[in-house]
Amino acid sequence: MKKILDLISEEMKKAFEEAGYDRELGKVTLSNRPDLCEYQCNGAMAGAKTYKKAPIMIANEVAEKLADSEIFSEAAAVMPGFLNLKVKEGFVTAYLKEMESKDKFGLDKPEKVKKIVIDYGGPNVAKPLHVGHLRSAIIGESIKRIARYAGHEVIGDIHLGDWGLQMGLIITELKERQPELIYFDESYTGEYPKEPPFTISQLEEIYPTASGKSKEDKAYKERAMEDTYKLQNGVRGHRALWKHIIQVSVSDLKKNYANLNVDFDLWKGESDVHDRIPGMVEYMKKEGYAHESEGALVVDVKKDTDTKEIPPCMILKSDGASLYNTTDLATIMERMEEIYPDQLIYVVDKRQELYFEQVFRCARKTKLVEEDTDLRFLGFGTMNGKDGKPFKTRDGGVMRLESLISDINEQMFQKITDNHEVEEEEARKTAKMVALSAVKYGDLSNQASKDYIFDVDRFTSFEGDTGPYILYTMVRIKSILAKYKEQGGNPETVDLQDSLSPSQKDLMLVLTKFTGMMESAYEELAPHKVCAYIYDLANAFNRFYHETKILTQEDEQVKAGFIALLKLTLAILEDCIHVLGFEAPERM
Ligand code: ARG
């Protein structure tokens, strides 16, 4: 379905042409003087030089051609040569009716469906999720949903950090504590127990302890490196323990991500590509891409056009061990082989930008990807506390994601039960939904690449540019629709009608912008555009609501028209919050 601005521009271009001017001058934009008009065209100013005419003369001639336009109720030429435009009520109503009748409100399907892999989440096994992981999960989930909404085939992969020294450290610490465990008996050839020898909370304590010890005790670190080596080289007991670590950790992660309404199609990790590494290294050597440098194996990735230093991409350390780079490259190789995506999007902390620049260049140079495979780094900024420094707990420690979320849930629960009487169970459920909207909207409403201040008090407010405000607006609409039913009305059979007031028209015009907004949110991978839009939409709705008698309207037909408008507003808000990754309760 054509975007409304395109339809309007088309009409304007026709008028320019009829008046004897270049039709391309007829581009229409949203008005930057909403007090004067709804749309505007500055084409007459742009054409003045070419046609050696005063802009106002051109504008007047064009305006004349629009006197009987089906689209414009007003096309006024004003000094020095602007065309100020208003559209007909009937045109807006017909446009919204068409939107309503179409799948996704008329958002065009892509010409070519792209296969996209999104690499997001990126938690590390056996380490608790902390707020640093929050942004990747929230933004990645939203990008995934936006791209799917746009009609693409999208695969989300969590890319667990489940390999390397962090795993060796845990094994070493376990050995210190329980050397008698069967896993450490290298002569043992029988089956290992099904039950893991630790719980998630033990695991979460073991890792930091081990990591701390390894920093102080050289011999301990060496033992951890040896255990890492044994694990990576397939020593049975080490592999069995590692599987337990993954199992315990992943089931905990699943619970945590489910609470965030985040889910992944693939739960692959760094370890999954371990067996590909030798082949990949061989290939890079054989083709002459990789060479030795101070004992390590590297691929040069700098270009003559670089303005900053781009160091070589290291494939193997001098001791032959693989690195973060190695697994990322092997993962690209695997994804190309198994999925063959058109695009790979990495939603990772922007401090890893240079690293990904190296990896991408290396993948291109070594032809792990096709020439037209789009490798995209979507780097996000830091989530800061009110003091402008990275978000911490009150005593300065790293804030666990679980505690952060449960604190906000609790705060929301208090707010909801203070406001009115609700059953505890319902209040808890609602609080969870509203709290999630607070956290997600608070994050997504900022441009991803920017740092932002995590301000719980502001995010959880029911007023202003917040998730709860959006949900509050939706709940308000739901409650009007329910009351309409109680009055005997049937919201299923109502039809949109021409607007009767400026606030109603304004609301209708905001609704017409939906498809254009969604298109650019996808093209620019920009969830903040969806947030900005629903904030506008909620404001437009609330202005209309405050100025209009809806349920007390005497004229049944007029009332039905309002109800139809409410329904459409709600439906569009529903789709928008869905792509942002949260949902609205029935009441709050
Ligand atoms: N586990 C990594 C970390 O915590 C993030 C992984 C990002 N994704 C990737 N393909 N490297 O920093």
Side-chain angles (χ1 to χ4, degrees):
M1 179 174 170
K2 280 216 167 113
K3 280 175 281 173
I4 193 157
L5 265 178
D6 293 340
L7 284 177
I8 297 175
S9 288
E10 198 43 50
E11 179 85 348
M12 184 55 80
K13 285 178 178 172
K14 225 170 64 200
F16 266 86
E17 201 166 30
E18 281 170 16
Y21 300 103
D22 179 3
R23 55 180 279 117
E24 290 316 311
L25 294 171
K27 196 172 167 298
V28 175
T29 57
L30 287 174
S31 160
N32 51 26
R33 286 290 305 272
D35 51 326
L36 296 179
C37 56
E38 293 154 358
Y39 300 92
Q40 68 186 56
C41 172
N42 303 347
M45 323 270 277
K49 216 169 178 183
T50 323
Y51 295 101
K52 299 197 176 59
K53 256 192 194 175
I56 189 71
M57 286 173 73
I58 303 178
N60 272 321
E61 288 167 55
V62 174
E64 230 165 78
K65 299 288 176 199
L66 290 167
D68 322 303
S69 161
E70 302 271 320
I71 292 184
F72 298 116
S73 57
E74 194 183 307
V78 297
M79 282 306 267
F82 296 115
L83 280 153
N84 284 354
L85 309 164
K86 284 190 179 154
V87 289
K88 287 194 164 153
E89 308 299 332
F91 168 72
V92 180
T93 314
Y95 188 84
L96 289 181
K97 280 188 173 166
E98 193 181 341
M99 274 177 72
E100 214 179 15
S101 72
K102 300 225 151 125
D103 184 34
K104 293 177 183 152
F105 308 104
L107 183 70
D108 284 335
K109 293 210 171 69
E111 273 165 39
K112 179 184 172 289
V113 175
K114 278 202 264 179
K115 219 183 220 192
I116 305 171
V117 171
I118 307 191
D119 182 313
Y120 70 109
N124 299 312
V125 158
K127 290 192 215 169
L129 288 175
H130 57 80
V131 296
H133 293 109
L134 187 64
R135 296 211 72 191
S136 182
I138 292 179
I139 298 167
E141 180 70 21
S142 176
I143 299 287
K144 181 183 79 181
R145 291 172 181 224
I146 290 173
R148 275 195 188 143
Y149 197 85
H152 299 284
E153 193 186 319
V154 194
I155 298 148
D157 185 357
I158 188 166
H159 199 71
L160 292 168
D162 61 355
W163 209 226
L165 185 61
Q166 49 186 340
M167 298 291 118
L169 282 165
I170 296 170
I171 297 176
T172 303
E173 183 59 25
L174 277 169
K175 206 182 333 184
E176 304 269 299
R177 297 182 186 193
Q178 294 168 270
E180 73 288 353
L181 283 177
I182 187 76
Y183 303 88
F184 301 120
D185 177 356
E186 288 186 21
S187 62
Y188 180 74
T189 54
E191 287 215 8
Y192 292 108
K194 291 230 158 25
E195 283 305 306
F198 40 71
T199 63
I200 183 68
S201 25
Q202 285 167 332
L203 208 53
E204 286 178 351
E205 175 267 319
I206 290 172
Y207 177 76
T209 309
S211 165
K213 281 191 191 171
S214 80
K215 280 180 194 127
E216 262 141 45
D217 181 346
K218 232 175 152 198
Y220 187 94
K221 171 129 192 227
E222 262 158 36
R223 286 203 294 283
M225 279 164 63
E226 195 189 316
D227 282 322
T228 311
Y229 183 85
K230 284 186 177 171
L231 166 68
Q232 299 195 337
N233 287 282
V235 171
R236 277 183 79 241
H238 280 60
R239 282 286 169 106
L241 265 182
W242 167 78
K243 282 208 178 112
H244 285 313
I245 302 175
I246 305 253
Q247 180 199 347
V248 168
S249 190
V250 164
S251 61
D252 184 63
L253 285 171
K254 286 200 166 152
K255 192 187 77 202
N256 273 296
Y257 282 114
N259 277 334
L260 289 175
N261 220 357
V262 168
D263 82 315
F264 301 92
D265 306 289
L266 296 177
W267 280 77
K268 294 209 162 202
E270 295 171 357
S271 67
D272 282 281
V273 294
H274 176 68
D275 294 342
R276 283 181 183 271
I277 291 174
M280 182 182 82
V281 169
E282 235 2 84
Y283 159 79
M284 287 183 177
K285 277 195 203 157
K286 200 178 98 228
E287 297 296 318
Y289 297 126
H291 64 90
E292 261 184 45
S293 165
E294 292 162 39
L297 190 70
V298 302
V299 174
D300 287 325
V301 292
K302 63 172 190 285
K303 292 181 190 161
D304 296 340
T305 48
D306 287 344
T307 49
K308 59 172 192 244
E309 174 82 14
I310 309 280
C313 189
M314 201 189 283
I315 310 295
L316 292 179
K317 285 201 272 199
S318 51
D319 63 358
S322 56
L323 309 95
Y324 187 45
N325 303 30
T326 329
T327 46
D328 259 321
L329 286 162
T331 304
I332 292 181
M333 196 172 168
E334 177 177 273
R335 287 174 179 160
M336 290 308 287
E337 259 176 57
E338 291 182 355
I339 305 172
Y340 200 65
D342 302 289
Q343 187 181 42
L344 282 149
I345 304 174
Y346 292 81
V347 185
V348 184
D349 191 312
K350 77 176 174 204
R351 284 169 289 193
Q352 293 191 30
E353 182 162 17
L354 174 63
Y355 163 77
F356 275 99
E357 180 66 35
Q358 291 172 294
V359 169
F360 290 173
R361 284 188 185 193
C362 183
R364 272 204 200 291
K365 180 169 179 178
T366 60
K367 302 202 165 54
L368 294 185
V369 294
E370 302 285 347
E371 252 164 52
D372 59 358
T373 311
D374 184 11
L375 298 172
R376 196 77 71 89
F377 176 69
L378 194 85
F380 52 80
T382 308
M383 180 174 140
N384 288 325
K386 277 191 191 168
D387 57 0
K389 301 205 183 92
F391 195 85
K392 291 264 159 57
T393 54
R394 255 180 225 125
D395 52 22
V398 176
M399 174 73 106
R400 287 181 60 143
L401 196 51
E402 253 181 305
S403 355
L404 177 80
I405 302 290
S406 66
D407 282 359
I408 301 175
N409 281 349
E410 196 49 44
Q411 215 166 313
M412 220 19 118
F413 175 75
Q414 291 307 337
K415 230 179 193 171
I416 288 171
T417 42
D418 284 352
N419 275 355
H420 43 78
E421 264 175 54
V422 225
E423 294 266 337
E424 156 118 25
E425 200 190 315
E426 190 191 336
R428 290 262 170 228
K429 225 176 111 201
T430 308
K432 222 179 130 181
M433 290 170 104
V434 184
L436 192 61
S437 81
V439 173
K440 289 199 168 184
Y441 190 96
D443 188 306
L444 294 170
S445 53
N446 304 287
Q447 208 175 313
S449 62
K450 300 225 163 93
D451 296 348
Y452 77 99
I453 294 189
F454 192 87
D455 181 345
V456 183
D457 297 329
R458 188 168 78 74
F459 292 178
T460 54
S461 166
F462 285 22
E463 277 152 46
D465 191 5
T466 70
Y469 168 68
I470 304 292
L471 296 192
Y472 195 77
T473 305
M474 294 175 73
V475 165
R476 173 173 275 165
I477 299 178
K478 287 184 184 189
S479 121
I480 301 172
L481 295 178
K483 287 202 186 108
Y484 181 68
K485 267 194 196 162
E486 279 166 26
Q487 289 182 347
N490 180 359
E492 297 312 312
T493 57
V494 293
D495 267 329
L496 284 168
Q497 282 159 33
D498 291 356
S499 78
L500 299 169
S501 66
S503 66
Q504 186 180 1
K505 188 171 188 189
D506 184 45
L507 171 59
M508 291 170 87
L509 286 177
V510 177
L511 289 168
T512 64
K513 291 188 204 160
F514 172 75
T515 46
M517 174 286 293
M518 236 358 168
E519 228 177 75
S520 59
Y522 164 67
E523 274 159 16
E524 296 162 40
L525 304 178
H528 72 275
K529 297 215 155 172
V530 182
C531 294
Y533 175 73
I534 55 177
Y535 183 50
D536 269 358
L537 183 54
N539 282 335
F541 168 78
N542 284 314
R543 272 194 303 271
F544 166 71
Y545 167 82
H546 287 300
E547 284 177 13
T548 314
K549 288 202 293 184
I550 300 176
L551 289 166
T552 52
Q553 174 60 239
E554 294 88 35
D555 185 327
E556 280 305 322
Q557 184 140 5
V558 170
K559 194 198 280 189
F562 290 159
I563 295 296
L565 184 58
L566 262 59
K567 258 177 61 187
L568 181 60
T569 305
L570 180 63
I572 288 190
L573 284 168
E574 291 280 8
D575 279 14
C576 289
I577 64 167
H578 173 77
V579 300
L580 295 176
F582 55 89
E583 284 151 41
E586 290 310 305
R587 301 188 289 172
M588 65 191 257

